[in-house]
Amino acid sequence: MSMRRESFLAHVQERGEYENTEEADRVARVVLALLGAHLVGSVRAELAARLPETYALILLNPLQAAEPLSPERFVRATAAWIEGATEKTALWDIGAVLSTAAAAGDVLTREVLLQLPPGYDLLFGHPQPT
């Protein structure tokens, strides 16, 4: 079952300590577009099914990635897409969005992480044992 848009944005806003839902919406759109470029198949579809429709469509119709981005490059790409962002603030933004998306459940989050290069577990706030 998908999360309601208001609830999703409220979680992102709270976790990111944003002043308003517009700021939360802006970072959610960028982070999910970049994430969607790295996920395929049923994992992407299942995660999208748990997001509000607006964000599900962003995840399902992502930016095109020529190659998987390392976590560091993902942070740099996010900073480049968010006006006024630095790598440090982008890392904060990513954490707010991905930790909210991780609320979809541990099993799905593990499946998502299996499709991503090593190190994304920290961006999701789910450090994996080494």
Side-chain angles (χ1 to χ4, degrees), residues 1 7 11 16 18 44 52 63-64 71 82 89 93 95 117-118 122 127:
M1 183 169 153
S7 178
H11 280 95
Y18 303 116
R44 183 168 67 187
L63 302 167
Q64 296 301 310
I82 297 175
T89 62
D93 296 334
L122 297 175

Side-chain angles (χ1 to χ4, degrees), residues 6-7 13-15 19 22 37 41 44 47 59 66 75 81-82 88 90 94-96 99 112-114 123-124 128:
E6 297 79 17
S7 178
Q13 182 178 357
E14 179 183 326
R15 290 176 181 183
E19 291 184 23
E22 290 79 16
R44 183 168 67 187
L47 181 58
L59 187 77
V75 170
W81 279 90
I82 297 175
K88 187 173 182 176
I94 292 165
S99 66
V112 166
L113 290 172
L114 287 173
L123 298 179
F124 275 84
Q128 302 296 308

Side-chain angles (χ1 to χ4, degrees), residues 73-89:
R73 289 184 59 210
F74 188 89
V75 170
R76 285 195 297 270
T78 301
W81 279 90
I82 297 175
E83 185 178 335
T86 64
E87 288 184 28
K88 187 173 182 176
T89 62

Side-chain angles (χ1 to χ4, degrees), residues 19-115:
E19 291 184 23
N20 53 54
T21 57
E22 290 79 16
E23 192 175 356
D25 174 70
R26 182 173 54 105
V27 300
R29 288 173 180 275
V30 170
V31 172
L32 292 172
L34 287 168
L35 179 64
H38 292 80
L39 300 178
V40 297
S42 62
V43 171
R44 183 168 67 187
E46 190 174 337
L47 181 58
R50 297 184 189 199
L51 295 172
E53 182 180 10
T54 300
Y55 303 106
L57 292 173
I58 291 168
L59 187 77
L60 292 171
N61 298 299
L63 302 167
Q64 296 301 310
E67 62 185 43
L69 296 177
S70 68
E72 296 80 16
R73 289 184 59 210
F74 188 89
V75 170
R76 285 195 297 270
T78 301
W81 279 90
I82 297 175
E83 185 178 335
T86 64
E87 288 184 28
K88 187 173 182 176
T89 62
L91 187 59
W92 184 266
D93 296 334
I94 292 165
V97 176
L98 296 185
S99 66
T100 299
D106 287 342
V107 172
L108 180 56
T109 299
R110 277 193 299 277
E111 290 175 13
V112 166
L113 290 172
L114 287 173
Q115 289 193 8

